[in-house]
Amino acid sequence: MIIVPEREIADLMTREAAFDAVEKVFAAMAAGDAYNFPVVREAIGHEDALYGFKGGFDQAGLTLGLKAGGYWPNNLEKRDIINHQSTVFLFDPDTGKAKAMVGGNLLTALRTAAASSVSIKHLARKDAKVIGMVGAGHQATFQLRAALEQRDFEKVIGWNYHPEMLPNIEKVAKEAGVAFEAVELEGMTEADVIISITSSFDATLMADHVGAGCHVACMGTDTKGKQEVEAALLQKATVFTDEVAQSISIGEAQHAVGEGLITEGDVNQIGAVINGTHPGRTSDDEITLFDGTGVGLQDLAVAASVVDLAVEQGRAIEVDF
């Protein structure tokens, strides 16, 4: 079995490679060549942690496995380690033998950012100039770096429940040579693209905070009960997602569907846009929304890519198992 520890990931996986892996797996999902297994995600009753498993099988790429991990909200304050912790396990689909164990923390950040970045590529207006960030935590910096590569953005506007965290994303904007401005949520109407990346259980971004023609990427809702945006926003928008079943059960669409504002049939796979079987955005005034719930196949795709690179570069640790 091959082991690729967390310390090696930064030198092996680039944003470009993560984007390519995620885009391909979304396309495979929409074509019926890859599927995710039901998600297990539970509060364990210790350290306020959420723990679970996401897995799947990509028949086209012959990638089988799962990601185990979750969210420990006290880690940063108590232990000075990030709150999200995970490990990816890959298995040989021909024999079932364990094939690889890969550190999943940075990979999760990169694949989550890649997912919203894929949605911007395929759904945002080509002339998008202002990007809004709702959230300014650890993951928000990955989101913004990836997003800024998809359009010629001229300005970043940001809001966070704790304003003292806004310098996190201001630094990313300045590194990219893009102006930054802190705004109230009402000011998000200026944005052509909005990324919401919070862990909220109450809607923060409201329908009237979003202007005509905006593309919204909701990247924080991955558990039953979580909610980043007002359900009425999904009613106003053309809704896309990584996986429909997750979107309506643990993603942002769970609330709009539950309130009867939209139906399951109103939620489209982003992979269908990539494959050309869905037109995606059809007008400059249309609001598009991507509900990024985070699927196991994303993790497997980037982990498999890392394993290949680790072997090529002699960074892999091989053990008998």
Side-chain angles (χ1 to χ4, degrees), residues 135-137 159-168:
W159 177 91
N160 194 65
Y161 184 77
H162 298 287
E164 64 273 14
M165 295 178 69
L166 287 172
N168 291 338

Side-chain angles (χ1 to χ4, degrees), residues 121-283:
K121 173 185 174 180
H122 292 281
L123 295 172
R125 296 196 328 270
K126 299 301 182 185
D127 64 349
K129 297 299 182 185
V130 179
I131 182 167
M133 296 294 301
V134 178
H138 178 73
Q139 181 61 44
T141 61
F142 288 89
Q143 293 285 328
L144 184 55
R145 285 191 185 97
L148 288 173
E149 295 171 348
Q150 295 307 312
R151 294 290 186 272
D152 293 324
F153 291 109
E154 298 175 352
K155 184 179 181 181
V156 177
I157 58 176
W159 177 91
N160 194 65
Y161 184 77
H162 298 287
E164 64 273 14
M165 295 178 69
L166 287 172
N168 291 338
I169 54 176
E170 181 179 12
K171 180 181 178 182
V172 173
K174 288 185 175 180
E175 287 173 351
V178 179
F180 176 83
E181 180 185 352
V183 299
E184 298 299 323
L185 284 167
E186 291 78 5
M188 284 291 156
T189 54
E190 180 187 359
D192 303 308
V193 172
I194 297 173
I195 298 176
S196 181
I197 180 68
T198 70
S199 298
S200 177
F201 280 82
D202 296 298
T204 301
L205 188 71
M206 300 299 168
D208 61 4
H209 295 158
V210 178
C214 187
H215 172 62
V216 183
C218 304
M219 303 305 299
T221 297
D222 57 2
T223 303
K224 194 170 183 62
K226 275 189 174 183
Q227 183 176 13
E228 292 196 283
V229 305
E230 185 181 19
L233 177 58
L234 278 75
Q235 188 179 35
K236 289 177 60 176
T238 305
V239 180
F240 299 86
T241 191
D242 38 25
E243 185 177 75
V244 175
Q246 282 194 186
S247 178
I248 65 173
S249 59
I250 63 170
E252 204 62 45
Q254 65 181 286
H255 307 286
V257 171
E259 294 176 26
L261 299 179
I262 65 172
T263 68
E264 179 178 346
D266 294 318
V267 184
N268 307 282
Q269 283 187 290
I270 185 72
V273 183
I274 297 168
N275 289 338
T277 56
H278 189 289
R281 171 179 293 277
T282 57
S283 76

Side-chain angles (χ1 to χ4, degrees), residues 286-306:
E286 181 180 11
I287 295 173
T288 55
L289 184 144
F290 174 67
D291 183 13
T293 65
V295 294
L297 284 169
Q298 289 173 254
D299 300 294
L300 305 187
V302 292
S305 179
V306 159

